[in-house]
Amino acid sequence: MQTISLQTIIHLVFGVSQRALRQAHFRGSHAARVPSISPKPRRRRVDILRPEVAGLVIGLTKAAAIDFAARNVRVNAICPGGTHTAMFDRWIKDGAVEQHVLASHPIGRFADPIEPARVALFLASDEASFVTGVALPIDGGLVAA
């Protein structure tokens, strides 16, 4: 059984965020975070913390957006739902699990990896130059349902 404490997750998110924001500050650019909002079964302690971790990342995103806006650094988070990746596909290899997770996505399918990637590219582009402090769900309606 793998156990990860909330304190470890907070230190990890905060440390990675600090480094990304330092690098973005030098470029006057964009920093992004990707919290998970997928409805995984609660088998490990880290799964039980999932809502708290997502809330932490979203809160840090908003706080950092305010703190760094005057320095021309935009900070946003993308919140992907089920996305076909090798890891995700291994997790849903059981047909019952796949149907359960698929049923939670009102759009009726999982995302291709390019779909959240395109949103990240948009948020990092000049077309999104006035967008900061946003946590954007890319989840096929999972959060809205």
Side-chain angles (χ1 to χ4, degrees):
M1 172 184 236
Q2 181 182 8
T3 302
I4 300 173
S5 71
L6 181 57
Q7 182 179 10
T8 301
I9 294 169
I10 291 169
H11 286 293
L12 177 64
V13 168
F14 189 72
V16 170
S17 297
Q18 279 186 320
R19 184 176 179 101
L21 287 169
R22 267 196 306 270
Q23 290 179 355
H25 172 70
F26 290 123
R27 289 184 237 133
S29 61
H30 183 262
R33 295 185 172 96
V34 185
S36 174
I37 58 169
S38 64
K40 285 183 115 176
R42 306 217 186 282
R43 282 182 266 155
R44 295 177 301 176
R45 184 172 176 198
V46 71
D47 291 332
I48 293 168
L49 298 174
R50 187 168 306 278
E52 288 81 1
V53 172
L56 169 71
V57 172
I58 291 167
L60 285 172
T61 298
K62 291 178 180 192
I66 293 166
D67 290 347
F68 286 87
R71 299 179 198 163
N72 197 31
V73 174
R74 295 174 288 120
V75 183
N76 295 296
I78 59 172
C79 307
T83 303
H84 278 297
T85 62
M87 184 173 80
F88 183 77
D89 289 344
R90 278 192 307 273
W91 177 67
I92 63 164
K93 67 183 172 191
D94 175 355
V97 172
E98 180 177 12
Q99 290 308 310
H100 171 74
V101 176
L102 191 58
S104 67
H105 289 71
I107 205 165
R109 65 177 181 83
F110 299 123
D112 289 319
I114 194 68
E115 292 172 300
R118 286 180 180 143
V119 173
L121 286 172
F122 166 72
L123 288 172
S125 74
D126 290 339
E127 285 79 20
S129 63
F130 203 64
V131 179
T132 194
V134 170
L136 182 60
I138 308 162
D139 63 2
L142 180 66
V143 171

